[in-house]
Amino acid sequence: LFVLTSFVVYLFFFFFLMIRRPPRSTLFPYTTLFRSLIISAFCYGGLILAIVLDLGHRMAGQKGAILAGAFLLCSPMFIFNTITATAYTSYGSVLALLAWLNYRAVTEKRSGFYLFAGFVYGLAGGIHSVTMTQGLLLMLCGFWAFRKARQVWIKAAILAFFGIACWLPATIAIAGG
């Protein structure tokens, strides 16, 4: 019920408090592209909200989830980046997903979460190189938890390279070789 209420509040912020609207223009693809970027930023923002609510519930119970969700929904930076077509919500969603996966790996002592975090970390480089540098700190937290299980972090590193291999050839082809 709380997640549903938070999502309704989030929809209110998106639809009624939209700061930047697409210009009225005869260039139909521009406005369609702009709207699709806003919708993708909105979806990434919803993913961030869901992850923050789940992390807050796992770390501090329902009151912690309510407080974390309220702080996130009232954050002017979160609202601005979600309702405008910026790429920061995609960075934030990948980093929030890495934090969630590493937290689950550390608290539940299950290496599967850490291995999936390695793959997501590799995919993060396709979004932006800054995401990889910030995600490295999150990966080191999981690395510390599995420091004695050398095979786990070697497999996570291999999966990270596989994640990089998913986007690198397309990037090289788009750049012209």
Side-chain angles (χ1 to χ4, degrees):
L1 181 63
F2 174 70
V3 174
L4 181 63
T5 307
S6 299
F7 192 68
V8 169
V9 170
Y10 187 67
L11 286 174
F12 171 77
F13 279 121
F14 178 68
F15 287 112
F16 297 110
L17 298 179
M18 192 179 223
I19 295 171
R20 198 165 133 196
R21 298 189 185 277
R24 300 284 181 222
S25 173
T26 58
L27 299 174
F28 181 75
Y30 173 74
T31 57
T32 304
L33 176 64
F34 188 81
R35 286 186 181 135
S36 67
L37 288 174
I38 288 177
I39 290 170
S40 68
F42 174 69
C43 292
Y44 283 128
L47 179 64
I48 293 171
L49 178 64
I51 291 172
V52 165
L53 289 174
D54 188 58
L55 267 177
H57 189 267
R58 289 178 187 279
M59 290 179 172
Q62 187 172 0
K63 290 182 181 178
I66 291 170
L67 191 61
F71 277 135
L72 182 67
L73 286 176
C74 293
S75 168
M77 190 61 80
F78 178 74
I79 294 168
F80 175 77
N81 286 322
T82 302
I83 63 176
T84 57
T86 60
Y88 298 116
T89 52
S90 62
Y91 304 163
S93 64
V94 170
L95 292 174
L97 183 61
L98 278 175
W100 182 78
L101 288 169
N102 280 302
Y103 182 77
R104 296 277 310 265
V106 169
T107 56
E108 297 176 14
K109 300 290 185 205
R110 292 178 53 195
S111 62
F113 287 114
Y114 189 66
L115 295 176
F116 187 61
F119 179 69
V120 170
Y121 176 69
L123 289 178
I127 295 174
H128 198 275
S129 59
V130 173
T131 311
M132 286 198 71
T133 57
Q134 293 170 346
L136 182 62
L137 298 173
L138 294 169
M139 291 303 294
L140 288 177
C141 293
F143 173 74
W144 181 255
F146 293 104
R147 64 187 177 275
K148 294 182 181 175
R150 177 176 283 191
Q151 293 172 343
V152 172
W153 55 265
I154 289 175
K155 288 178 185 176
I158 290 170
L159 284 171
F161 283 116
F162 180 70
I164 291 170
C166 288
W167 58 263
L168 191 60
T171 305
I172 292 172
I174 291 171

PDB file of all heavy atoms in Angstrom, residues 154-167:
ATOM      1  N   ILE A 154      36.312 -13.261  -8.799  1.00  0.00           N
ATOM      2  CA  ILE A 154      36.858 -13.478 -10.151  1.00  0.00           C
ATOM      3  C   ILE A 154      35.710 -13.677 -11.140  1.00  0.00           C
ATOM      4  O   ILE A 154      35.714 -13.122 -12.240  1.00  0.00           O
ATOM      5  CB  ILE A 154      37.831 -14.676 -10.153  1.00  0.00           C
ATOM      6  CG1 ILE A 154      39.118 -14.305  -9.424  1.00  0.00           C
ATOM      7  CG2 ILE A 154      38.129 -15.123 -11.579  1.00  0.00           C
ATOM      8  CD1 ILE A 154      40.094 -15.439  -9.258  1.00  0.00           C
ATOM      9  N   LYS A 155      34.682 -14.448 -10.729  1.00  0.00           N
ATOM     10  CA  LYS A 155      33.515 -14.615 -11.592  1.00  0.00           C
ATOM     11  C   LYS A 155      32.782 -13.290 -11.798  1.00  0.00           C
ATOM     12  O   LYS A 155      32.292 -13.010 -12.898  1.00  0.00           O
ATOM     13  CB  LYS A 155      32.553 -15.645 -10.994  1.00  0.00           C
ATOM     14  CG  LYS A 155      33.056 -17.059 -11.070  1.00  0.00           C
ATOM     15  CD  LYS A 155      32.075 -18.009 -10.409  1.00  0.00           C
ATOM     16  CE  LYS A 155      32.623 -19.412 -10.365  1.00  0.00           C
ATOM     17  NZ  LYS A 155      31.711 -20.335  -9.644  1.00  0.00           N
ATOM     18  N   ALA A 156      32.701 -12.464 -10.741  1.00  0.00           N
ATOM     19  CA  ALA A 156      32.051 -11.151 -10.875  1.00  0.00           C
ATOM     20  C   ALA A 156      32.831 -10.268 -11.843  1.00  0.00           C
ATOM     21  O   ALA A 156      32.236  -9.531 -12.640  1.00  0.00           O
ATOM     22  CB  ALA A 156      31.925 -10.479  -9.512  1.00  0.00           C
ATOM     23  N   ALA A 157      34.155 -10.345 -11.806  1.00  0.00           N
ATOM     24  CA  ALA A 157      34.970  -9.561 -12.739  1.00  0.00           C
ATOM     25  C   ALA A 157      34.779 -10.047 -14.172  1.00  0.00           C
ATOM     26  O   ALA A 157      34.685  -9.243 -15.107  1.00  0.00           O
ATOM     27  CB  ALA A 157      36.438  -9.637 -12.344  1.00  0.00           C
ATOM     28  N   ILE A 158      34.681 -11.352 -14.350  1.00  0.00           N
ATOM     29  CA  ILE A 158      34.437 -11.897 -15.695  1.00  0.00           C
ATOM     30  C   ILE A 158      33.070 -11.451 -16.205  1.00  0.00           C
ATOM     31  O   ILE A 158      32.926 -11.051 -17.367  1.00  0.00           O
ATOM     32  CB  ILE A 158      34.566 -13.433 -15.674  1.00  0.00           C
ATOM     33  CG1 ILE A 158      36.019 -13.835 -15.459  1.00  0.00           C
ATOM     34  CG2 ILE A 158      34.023 -14.043 -16.958  1.00  0.00           C
ATOM     35  CD1 ILE A 158      36.246 -15.304 -15.187  1.00  0.00           C
ATOM     36  N   LEU A 159      32.064 -11.470 -15.326  1.00  0.00           N
ATOM     37  CA  LEU A 159      30.738 -11.000 -15.731  1.00  0.00           C
ATOM     38  C   LEU A 159      30.734  -9.504 -16.020  1.00  0.00           C
ATOM     39  O   LEU A 159      29.997  -9.034 -16.895  1.00  0.00           O
ATOM     40  CB  LEU A 159      29.705 -11.338 -14.656  1.00  0.00           C
ATOM     41  CG  LEU A 159      29.277 -12.798 -14.619  1.00  0.00           C
ATOM     42  CD1 LEU A 159      28.420 -13.081 -13.397  1.00  0.00           C
ATOM     43  CD2 LEU A 159      28.528 -13.155 -15.883  1.00  0.00           C
ATOM     44  N   ALA A 160      31.545  -8.730 -15.299  1.00  0.00           N
ATOM     45  CA  ALA A 160      31.659  -7.297 -15.589  1.00  0.00           C
ATOM     46  C   ALA A 160      32.250  -7.091 -16.982  1.00  0.00           C
ATOM     47  O   ALA A 160      31.772  -6.243 -17.751  1.00  0.00           O
ATOM     48  CB  ALA A 160      32.511  -6.607 -14.529  1.00  0.00           C
ATOM     49  N   PHE A 161      33.261  -7.862 -17.318  1.00  0.00           N
ATOM     50  CA  PHE A 161      33.830  -7.755 -18.663  1.00  0.00           C
ATOM     51  C   PHE A 161      32.833  -8.213 -19.728  1.00  0.00           C
ATOM     52  O   PHE A 161      32.796  -7.664 -20.826  1.00  0.00           O
ATOM     53  CB  PHE A 161      35.138  -8.545 -18.772  1.00  0.00           C
ATOM     54  CG  PHE A 161      36.303  -7.859 -18.142  1.00  0.00           C
ATOM     55  CD1 PHE A 161      36.942  -8.405 -17.053  1.00  0.00           C
ATOM     56  CD2 PHE A 161      36.753  -6.636 -18.640  1.00  0.00           C
ATOM     57  CE1 PHE A 161      38.016  -7.756 -16.459  1.00  0.00           C
ATOM     58  CE2 PHE A 161      37.830  -5.981 -18.052  1.00  0.00           C
ATOM     59  CZ  PHE A 161      38.450  -6.540 -16.960  1.00  0.00           C
ATOM     60  N   PHE A 162      32.010  -9.209 -19.407  1.00  0.00           N
ATOM     61  CA  PHE A 162      30.964  -9.627 -20.326  1.00  0.00           C
ATOM     62  C   PHE A 162      29.934  -8.507 -20.508  1.00  0.00           C
ATOM     63  O   PHE A 162      29.447  -8.267 -21.616  1.00  0.00           O
ATOM     64  CB  PHE A 162      30.290 -10.900 -19.824  1.00  0.00           C
ATOM     65  CG  PHE A 162      29.200 -11.385 -20.737  1.00  0.00           C
ATOM     66  CD1 PHE A 162      29.502 -11.927 -21.980  1.00  0.00           C
ATOM     67  CD2 PHE A 162      27.880 -11.293 -20.366  1.00  0.00           C
ATOM     68  CE1 PHE A 162      28.511 -12.372 -22.830  1.00  0.00           C
ATOM     69  CE2 PHE A 162      26.870 -11.737 -21.203  1.00  0.00           C
ATOM     70  CZ  PHE A 162      27.188 -12.270 -22.435  1.00  0.00           C
ATOM     71  N   GLY A 163      29.605  -7.803 -19.421  1.00  0.00           N
ATOM     72  CA  GLY A 163      28.702  -6.659 -19.517  1.00  0.00           C
ATOM     73  C   GLY A 163      29.278  -5.560 -20.385  1.00  0.00           C
ATOM     74  O   GLY A 163      28.569  -4.922 -21.175  1.00  0.00           O
ATOM     75  N   ILE A 164      30.580  -5.335 -20.269  1.00  0.00           N
ATOM     76  CA  ILE A 164      31.244  -4.345 -21.122  1.00  0.00           C
ATOM     77  C   ILE A 164      31.214  -4.806 -22.573  1.00  0.00           C
ATOM     78  O   ILE A 164      30.997  -4.011 -23.495  1.00  0.00           O
ATOM     79  CB  ILE A 164      32.689  -4.113 -20.645  1.00  0.00           C
ATOM     80  CG1 ILE A 164      32.687  -3.406 -19.290  1.00  0.00           C
ATOM     81  CG2 ILE A 164      33.488  -3.302 -21.656  1.00  0.00           C
ATOM     82  CD1 ILE A 164      34.036  -3.343 -18.618  1.00  0.00           C
ATOM     83  N   ALA A 165      31.396  -6.106 -22.788  1.00  0.00           N
ATOM     84  CA  ALA A 165      31.383  -6.636 -24.157  1.00  0.00           C
ATOM     85  C   ALA A 165      30.010  -6.528 -24.808  1.00  0.00           C
ATOM     86  O   ALA A 165      29.908  -6.569 -26.032  1.00  0.00           O
ATOM     87  CB  ALA A 165      31.838  -8.093 -24.146  1.00  0.00           C
ATOM     88  N   CYS A 166      28.965  -6.356 -23.997  1.00  0.00           N
ATOM     89  CA  CYS A 166      27.616  -6.197 -24.563  1.00  0.00           C
ATOM     90  C   CYS A 166      27.441  -4.855 -25.259  1.00  0.00           C
ATOM     91  O   CYS A 166      26.742  -4.756 -26.259  1.00  0.00           O
ATOM     92  CB  CYS A 166      26.560  -6.354 -23.473  1.00  0.00           C
ATOM     93  SG  CYS A 166      26.367  -8.035 -22.896  1.00  0.00           S
ATOM     94  N   TRP A 167      28.058  -3.790 -24.714  1.00  0.00           N
ATOM     95  CA  TRP A 167      27.833  -2.472 -25.305  1.00  0.00           C
ATOM     96  C   TRP A 167      29.038  -1.943 -26.079  1.00  0.00           C
ATOM     97  O   TRP A 167      28.882  -1.059 -26.932  1.00  0.00           O
ATOM     98  CB  TRP A 167      27.441  -1.448 -24.229  1.00  0.00           C
ATOM     99  CG  TRP A 167      28.434  -1.283 -23.120  1.00  0.00           C
ATOM    100  CD1 TRP A 167      28.398  -1.876 -21.895  1.00  0.00           C
ATOM    101  CD2 TRP A 167      29.606  -0.458 -23.107  1.00  0.00           C
ATOM    102  NE1 TRP A 167      29.470  -1.504 -21.146  1.00  0.00           N
ATOM    103  CE2 TRP A 167      30.228  -0.628 -21.858  1.00  0.00           C
ATOM    104  CE3 TRP A 167      30.196   0.383 -24.043  1.00  0.00           C
ATOM    105  CZ2 TRP A 167      31.400   0.027 -21.522  1.00  0.00           C
ATOM    106  CZ3 TRP A 167      31.371   1.040 -23.700  1.00  0.00           C
ATOM    107  CH2 TRP A 167      31.954   0.861 -22.434  1.00  0.00           C
TER     108      TRP A 167
END
